[in-house]
Each structure stands twice: as structure tokens, then as C-alpha cells.
Amino acid sequence: MMNANKPFKQPVSVLVVIHHQHRQFLMLQRVDNPEFWQSVTGSLEADEAPIEAAVRELCEETGLCLAKEQVHDWQLYYDYDIYPEYWHRYPPGTRRNTEHVFSVNVALDSPIVIAPAEHSAYRWVDANSALAMAYSPSNRNAIEQLILQAAS
């Protein structure tokens, strides 16, 4: 059941891949599932543009509070099935989500402050480790795209 004090999420979200020179990736471990490692993600709030959500989520989940000009908008989105264990977070009958993709290149010594309600740990890892750790296919695909971009 949905918490009466918490509104349903919109089925539109952002994915922000945090990396350093396409060689190191910041991965966040979910509190509710220790095997679920991911980049920054989050749903759009009412009347919020995807870039605004990306900047907000980045700041909320990592403490990296950047200007929207510092966040690269890929002008790309993925449509995917919402995992059944998260259906209760969305309006009844909602089973698909649209995820807009962003990335940000930061220094390895950037101070990271994770949101303890969402994440229990973070790690900077190499590209292969990030691919192995990323729980969602869209997250893996975005990391792969950054790796390919660096190789070209």
C-alpha cells in the first residue's frame, strides 16, 4: 500500500551517470536492496523538466549540486517495464516508465554525500565493474554508451 502522506510517483524519471573521464563511474547501493547498484535516478516532480529533475536528484542523492549547464543532456530516453516490487509507488495500473538520460563528468575527489534514506554506500569503480554492478538494463546501456564514446 502507498503511504497516505506520500504521493504516487510519475512514470517519468531521470538517470544521471556520474563519471570521471569515462574511466571511473560512481555507483550507489540501494538501501532497500543491497544487490541493487545504480547511477543517480529519480522521478520528475509536478511541472518539472527532465534537466531540472536531473540537477535536483544529483544534488539530493550525492551532494553534487551543479548548474544545469554542467549536466550533459543526451536527448535520449528509454521506455521500460517497472519492476513489480515498485508498482505500488506509481498510480494504479502504471507498468511502464520513461527514463531520460544524463551524465556528468566530475573529479574523483569530488565530495560525495549520499542520501541515507535511499543509498547505503557508494563506490568509484572502473567501467567493467560499473557494467557488472548496474542493476538495470538502461543503466548498463548508458554506461556502455559512455565507454564507447571514450573509445572513439
Side-chain angles (χ1 to χ4, degrees):
M1 278 282 133
M2 191 69 202
N3 180 341
N5 297 326
K6 196 169 183 179
F8 288 117
K9 290 182 169 216
Q10 292 188 58
V12 181
S13 65
V14 295
L15 168 68
V16 185
V17 179
I18 303 167
H19 63 96
H20 174 71
Q21 303 297 336
H22 302 181
R23 292 189 303 270
Q24 294 288 311
F25 295 83
L26 184 72
M27 300 300 291
L28 305 165
Q29 184 180 39
R30 297 263 331 155
V31 167
D32 57 357
N33 183 347
E35 295 186 22
F36 195 137
W37 287 83
Q38 67 183 119
S39 296
V40 168
T41 62
S43 295
L44 272 66
E45 294 180 351
D47 301 321
E48 188 175 43
I51 185 67
E52 294 166 338
V55 169
R56 176 182 52 76
E57 291 287 348
L58 187 61
C59 187
E60 288 175 3
E61 293 189 18
T62 67
L64 295 170
C65 301
L66 306 174
K68 64 182 174 182
E69 294 78 21
Q70 295 173 278
V71 178
H72 177 66
D73 183 348
W74 292 23
Q75 300 294 312
L76 171 71
Y77 63 88
Y78 301 115
D79 283 319
Y80 63 85
D81 291 329
I82 299 167
Y83 291 116
E85 60 265 34
Y86 299 120
W87 287 351
H88 68 279
R89 296 179 178 179
Y90 296 88
T94 302
R95 299 294 182 259
R96 302 274 300 163
N97 187 72
T98 300
E99 182 177 68
H100 296 265
V101 183
F102 299 85
S103 62
V104 60
N105 183 12
V106 299
L108 285 175
D109 62 356
S110 297
I112 305 299
V113 180
I114 58 174
E118 291 189 57
H119 303 289
S120 55
Y122 74 89
R123 286 188 202 153
W124 281 103
V125 298
D126 64 33
N128 288 334
S129 296
L131 288 170
M133 292 169 77
Y135 190 84
S136 77
S138 62
N139 201 164
R140 280 192 301 277
N141 190 49
I143 293 167
E144 285 175 347
Q145 294 303 313
L146 275 170
I147 294 166
L148 289 172
Q149 188 180 72
S152 58

